């Protein structure tokens, strides 16, 4: 079926970390098991990385909706200068 993903922008400055919550990305595929949805990071942030909070400093390339609900995924800015608006996919 169809998958719907709603996302809201967040602002990070040098050294900031934002924990992804269901307020930022939330997805549904019309089934009764949204916790089984998986996200794949196909284009990571240029000035930082996506991390699992249990493994700080280690970039991840995928995570689940359950990880988002449990607030276990963060977008971390790497302190590089000149970073403007950016996104990850």
């Amino acid at each position: 079926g169809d998958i719907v993903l709603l996302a809201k922008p967040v602002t990070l400055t040098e050294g900031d970390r934002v924990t992804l919550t269901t307020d930022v990305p939330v997805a549904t595929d019309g089934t009764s098991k949204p916790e089984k949805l998986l996200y794949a990071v196909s284009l990571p942030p240029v000035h930082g990385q996506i991390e699992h909070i249990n493994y700080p400093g280690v970039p991840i390339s995928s995570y689940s909706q359950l990880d988002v609900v449990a607030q276990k995924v963060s977008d971390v800015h790497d302190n590089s200068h000149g970073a403007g608006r950016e996104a990850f996919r």
Side-chain angles (χ1 to χ4, degrees):
D2 295 331
I3 295 176
V4 176
L5 176 64
L6 303 173
K8 294 180 184 175
V10 294
T11 302
L12 288 175
T13 56
E14 295 177 15
D16 279 353
R17 164 188 304 268
V18 65
T19 300
L20 303 184
T21 66
T22 55
D23 290 339
V24 179
V26 63
T28 182
D29 67 351
T31 69
S32 62
K33 297 185 181 188
E35 69 275 4
K36 296 206 179 224
L37 288 174
L38 297 176
Y39 294 89
V41 181
S42 60
L43 182 61
V46 174
H47 300 285
Q49 61 193 24
I50 307 302
E51 299 177 351
H52 192 282
I53 63 165
N54 291 344
Y55 305 100
V58 179
I60 59 174
S61 59
S62 64
Y63 55 92
S64 71
Q65 182 72 15
L66 193 57
D67 291 329
V68 174
V69 170
Q71 298 184 3
K72 299 219 175 228
V73 180
S74 294
D75 182 356
V76 182
H77 194 286
D78 69 1
N79 291 329
S80 59
H81 295 284
R85 185 179 186 140
E86 85 171 341
F88 68 91
R89 294 177 194 223

